[in-house]
Amino acid sequence: MKALAGIFALVPIAAVAGVITAQWQLPNWAQPQWAALSKSQQLELSLRLNPFVWQGDFDGDKALDVAVLVKRSSDGKEGIAVLWRNEATPTVVGAGTSIGGGGDDFSWVEYWGVEESGSLHEGSYAETIRLDADALLVTKEGSATGLIYFVDRKPQWQQQSD
Ligand SMILES: [Ca+2]
């Protein structure tokens, strides 16, 4: 064990960092899903925001799903792809597919994060909702905040006040 640790210690850190690509930061189960989606819809990972990947149970089936920030190769329009743990077909919002006040290009988003199942959310124009599953919040400071939640894995948009 000690000998093994010694070998690893000899590997320069820069060399290790160089081979860790962004895609490898996805969970193992999500990597083939992402590879297929990336190819079929011409999407790339967007590393503009940190983190570029969130885990959450976005369909409420008790299994963690993955949301990744993406951009469409053809025009650079950004969005979010949700890879479902127990469903083969991912859901894409933005990146050329419009959703509510979020539009079809999420390049305006400055922060994004996960809102937990059970939390209450007050909309600007709609009733307050209690989340049945985890959801995503996208924000531009002083400008716009939207909640993206999923019903039967279909994306819904709730505009929120700032
Ligand atoms: Ca799930």
Side-chain angles (χ1 to χ4, degrees), residues 28-121:
N28 284 341
W29 66 263
Q31 291 183 20
Q33 268 203 33
W34 166 250
L37 177 72
S38 168
K39 197 174 175 190
S40 69
Q41 298 204 23
Q42 301 294 298
L43 297 173
E44 308 162 26
L45 291 175
S46 169
L47 308 182
R48 184 175 64 83
L49 301 181
N50 184 16
F52 69 94
V53 54
W54 282 105
Q55 288 196 76
D57 179 12
F58 303 114
D59 57 1
D61 71 348
K62 313 285 187 214
L64 281 179
D65 313 299
V66 164
V68 289
L69 198 67
V70 299
K71 64 179 174 188
R72 192 159 69 175
S73 305
S74 59
D75 54 14
K77 285 186 175 177
E78 291 188 15
I80 294 169
V82 178
L83 310 174
W84 307 104
R85 182 70 179 88
N86 293 318
E87 161 63 41
T89 308
T91 299
V92 178
V93 294
T97 302
S98 189
I99 178 169
D104 74 342
D105 181 4
F106 282 20
S107 56
W108 59 270
V109 174
E110 292 176 337
Y111 307 100
W112 71 313
V114 174
E115 293 294 313
E116 290 188 337
S117 175
S119 58
L120 287 172
H121 292 272

